[in-house]
Amino acid sequence: MYEYQESNRYFAQVADDIKDITEAELKSFGAENIEKAYKGVFFTGSQEVLYKINLQSCLINRVLAPLISFNCSSEDQLYKSAYQINWENLISIDNTIAIYASVSQSNITHSKFAALKLKDAIVDRFRNLTGERPSVDTRDPDIWLNLHIDNNIAVISLDTSGGSLHRRSYRKESVAAPMVETLAASIIKISGWDGSRPLYDPLCGSGTLLCEAYLHITKTPPAILRTKFGFEKLPDFNETLWRKVRHDVLNNITPIEKGFIAGSDASQDAVKSALKNCSVIDEKNTIEIKQINMFDIHEIKNKTIVCNPPYGIRLKKNEDLSGFYKQLGDFLKQKCSGSTAYIYFGDRMYLKTIGLRPSMKMPLANGGLDGRLARFELY
Ligand SMILES: C[S@@+](CC[C@H](N)C(=O)[O-])C[C@H]1O[C@@H](n2cnc3c(N)ncnc32)[C@H](O)[C@@H]1O
């Protein structure tokens, strides 16, 4: 029996800044005993809860099911312990595998080397038992294994998501600085947007915030386009239960009116990619997108505004956008009365130049950048 089968305990990998909202999200799917940890959250839950989380979470990157833990103070010990595991119960010769490792405060200090040792142990065991071995595919393997060594204790887990859930598969075309899907989803969650008024993104780029708003409000599961999950490879995978979970969730999708979610961008290429990306999930094209310079928009009144303005670091190094942010602040003040704006600042220094006092601001990292999300009530 593997560890997760005895404890029903899993580890959800999630960005540190959004652990609080992840806790609420996990509870809504029926998870219990939630414990925040470094770069993630532990929880317990039934198989049904595990399937629901993988299908419906908009915040979590991966859910790991721990298989086995052991003392691991040397490479030799890692190899020998890993070699003893009955990998044949989990992996077949025809499967492809990938191994991701992380190490902290341990004698083994190189994660890539640790991953290689584990791979060698698995492959050698298969070769010695059968004369054949599974192959490695780091891009789209059948089975993703995760090795975490902390304080010389190794935990090997199976990634039940089967690759990061932030990849929703709707991004067919991109722009210069697209937002990570889980970050966009957290902005929509934090905004508390409940569909009681329309939502608008005047700097929509490739449309990530629009897509995440659509998934949220229509209750479309973020992993709707995913064709395979890692949990399907667990020895106790219950296909009937999984079909039921998926069927019930898909039955709950609620359509919205055309134009209720809308956006625009000054760039023709951005609009083209946003239209393409949105149409992947919004087949009826209810999301409206047009090409217009934000400052030429007549007004955006009584709406929830979300946007992610340009920020020098990822676009052009050391570009000073103070003038742009000042103009953005003036636009919000003069043309957006009755709206609430959630602006994501990739570079927090521009919070000072926008000339508006936020009613809320919070750190929200974006791929290592120290970003901020700020809320502005516009009267
Ligand atoms: C950081 S990107 C937004 C990325 C977007 N959230 C995504 O996920 O793809 C900023 C966008 O603002 C647009 N932009 C910059 N200045 C603008 C303006 N004055 N009016 C409208 N769009 C503008 C750019 O074309 C760019 O697509």
Side-chain angles (χ1 to χ4, degrees), residues 330-379:
D330 291 345
F331 176 86
L332 293 172
K333 256 184 275 184
Q334 291 156 14
K335 297 190 171 179
C336 302
S337 60
S339 290
T340 305
Y342 290 83
I343 315 276
Y344 183 71
F345 293 80
D347 185 338
R348 65 192 158 122
M349 89 175 186
Y350 294 121
L351 261 166
K352 292 187 201 109
T353 40
I354 197 162
L356 285 168
R357 188 189 293 273
S359 56
M360 181 281 289
K361 62 178 180 205
M362 64 175 281
L364 211 47
N366 181 17
L369 298 177
D370 182 23
R372 292 285 180 280
L373 177 66
R375 178 179 62 212
F376 301 98
E377 312 286 354
L378 307 161
Y379 300 104

Side-chain angles (χ1 to χ4, degrees), residues 57-59 165-170 181-182 185 212 215 222 225:
S57 169
C58 64
L59 304 173
L165 293 168
H166 85 268
R167 291 202 191 90
R168 320 280 206 225
S169 301
Y170 60 64
E181 295 85 333
T182 40
E212 293 301 322
L215 294 176
L225 301 172

Side-chain angles (χ1 to χ4, degrees), residues 239-253:
E239 192 171 352
T240 316
L241 177 63
W242 165 229
R243 277 178 196 274
K244 184 180 176 314
V245 166
R246 195 177 152 83
H247 175 266
D248 291 352
V249 169
L250 297 187
N251 249 358
N252 205 21
I253 295 177

Side-chain angles (χ1 to χ4, degrees), residues 171 173-181 184 201-210 264-268 270-271 273-274 277 292-297 307-311 315 324 327 344:
R171 185 174 287 158
E173 287 184 18
S174 196
V175 292
M179 189 170 241
V180 178
E181 295 85 333
D201 178 355
L203 302 164
C204 72
S206 64
T208 319
L209 282 160
L210 299 176
S264 49
D265 198 286
S267 147
Q268 191 180 10
V271 169
S273 59
N277 297 339
I292 184 167
N293 186 316
M294 172 173 191
F295 305 119
D296 292 335
I297 297 176
C307 69
N308 159 218
Y311 45 99
L315 297 177
F324 175 88
Q327 207 181 349
Y344 183 71

